[in-house]
Amino acid sequence: MPHASLEATYLAYLDALNDRRFSDLDEFVQDELTYNDKVLTRQEYADMIAADIRAVPDLRFDAHLLLTDDDVVACRLWFDCTPTGTFFGQAPTGRRISFGEHVFYRFRAGRIAQVWSLIDREAVATQLTG
């Protein structure tokens, strides 16, 4: 997939997440994918993201740094939000928090097949408890 196409596809995927169009994930995610070495169905992956959104209704996926190469997307996502439910094991406090996620995606046939994600959970915990 050409780099411009891969970037456009990824940004459209983020738009679907931000618009809560989980039914559109079949356009962007393989039927089965690997997330941090765990095999998930697309539905399990969507459910995982939906659970985060239930805990943080204003969660928005904002790409701050985006690189593509061949079939891989590397992105630094930034989040600025206010949890209203338990999030990464932390009770909501009403505080607004900001944190990053560094994530790599491998695409196969134009759809996400593998995800490696590292979320700054320490920043979340510190902001919610500090």
Side-chain angles (χ1 to χ4, degrees), residues 28-92:
F28 305 106
V29 179
Q30 294 287 334
D31 296 341
E32 190 174 271
L33 72 151
T34 304
Y35 178 86
N36 287 348
D37 297 326
K38 182 179 179 184
V39 176
L40 300 174
T41 65
R42 181 185 330 121
Q43 187 59 56
E44 290 169 328
Y45 181 66
D47 291 346
M48 179 182 70
I49 295 168
D52 288 343
I53 290 171
R54 278 192 302 279
V56 188
D58 64 346
L59 191 72
R60 291 200 44 81
F61 297 78
D62 185 11
H64 272 213
L65 178 63
L66 175 60
L67 301 168
T68 63
D69 185 37
D70 194 28
D71 63 349
V72 174
V73 168
C75 189
R76 180 174 191 258
L77 294 169
W78 191 252
F79 302 92
D80 185 18
C81 54
T82 306
T84 60
T86 300
F87 187 55
F88 297 137
Q90 301 297 319

